[in-house]
Amino acid sequence: QLLAVSKRWPASDLRIAWQQGVRCFGESYISEAIDKINELKGLDIEWHCIGPVQSNKTRQIAKNFDWVHSLCSIKHARRVHDQRPTGLGPINACLQVNISNEPSKSGIRVEDALEISSEINKLDNIRLRGLMAIPAPCRALEQQRQAFRQLHELQSQLNTQGLSMDTLSMGMSGDI
Ligand SMILES: *Cc1c(COP(=O)(O)O)cnc(C)c1O
């Protein structure tokens, strides 16, 4: 499934993409996203938050999005759970993993994935669907696929340990 990343694109362009059949949009900046969500109310769009989650953003994420791909902590997950309006149903979520172990990147460590995902899985207002990663950029296809493969392996492992994840969120325009 293609998630069209629409950050920095105006609502008028999203509408054109929608007319061409795109239904899922990924946004990074919360206030920019909410403006577009309001402007495009009435279109059957699934809104995905892919930007950094901070404590002061969780309420807006919980209220406005169908998905959040960038959960990196139990603390933020609890806030999203607590702040999810009743009636909207659980928000779909991915846990962001720092798959290439880069000091500058957000995301949990691979070795913490089981503990954190098991905790998040207990939260009724969150439906933990999978893992997200932004691998380090690389020049060789095989190296790039290696990171994607690692994320897939982690997902399979977690699923044998009691999780039930059906989603891997990965890939950008610049990928090989
Ligand atoms: C912006 C962004 C993308 C898309 O990047 P492009 O290079 O524009 O395709 C993908 N994932 C995340 C988390 C992003 O913030």
Side-chain angles (χ1 to χ4, degrees):
Q1 186 189 340
L2 181 69
L3 175 60
V5 172
S6 48
K7 65 183 178 217
R8 300 200 195 92
W9 292 88
S12 53
D13 286 348
L14 275 65
R15 190 185 292 276
I16 292 168
W18 181 87
Q19 284 161 351
Q20 301 302 316
V22 179
R23 292 295 179 270
C24 302
F25 291 95
E27 292 281 341
S28 293
Y29 312 110
I30 305 303
S31 59
E32 179 196 314
I34 290 170
D35 288 345
K36 289 183 234 180
I37 291 171
N38 288 328
E39 200 166 328
L40 298 175
K41 266 206 176 92
L43 301 188
D44 57 334
I45 291 176
E46 207 174 72
W47 293 100
H48 295 243
C49 174
I50 60 171
V53 177
Q54 292 152 358
S55 289
N56 62 354
K57 302 278 169 60
T58 53
R59 184 176 300 279
Q60 294 295 357
I61 293 171
K63 276 175 69 174
N64 291 285
F65 285 87
D66 304 294
W67 280 76
V68 54
H69 291 238
S70 34
L71 276 181
C72 296
S73 74
I74 299 172
K75 182 184 120 181
H76 287 154
R78 290 212 176 100
R79 286 179 67 88
V80 171
H81 162 81
D82 291 340
Q83 294 167 340
R84 182 71 169 169
T86 43
L88 281 190
I91 189 169
N92 297 289
C94 293
L95 191 56
Q96 185 173 349
V97 181
N98 189 351
I99 199 76
S100 310
N101 255 317
E102 295 170 281
S104 62
K105 280 251 172 82
S106 43
I108 64 154
R109 301 182 309 170
V110 168
E111 52 268 44
D112 297 330
L114 178 61
E115 188 190 342
I116 296 176
S117 48
S118 303
E119 281 304 307
I120 294 176
N121 213 29
K122 294 178 190 161
L123 303 171
D124 288 340
N125 296 332
I126 294 183
R127 186 166 166 219
L128 188 60
R129 297 290 299 270
L131 304 172
M132 186 272 256
I134 308 172
C138 34
R139 289 159 182 276
L141 174 64
E142 200 35 53
Q143 196 185 351
Q144 179 146 71
R145 293 195 62 205
Q146 179 67 21
F148 292 153
R149 195 177 296 122
Q150 280 166 2
L151 198 69
H152 180 248
E153 276 165 17
L154 180 59
Q155 181 196 35
S156 307
Q157 244 177 55
L158 294 170
N159 282 345
T160 63
Q161 291 169 299
L163 280 295
S164 48
M165 297 181 170
D166 60 9
T167 300
L168 288 175
S169 172
M170 54 195 193
M172 337 234 304
S173 319
D175 289 347
I176 302 161

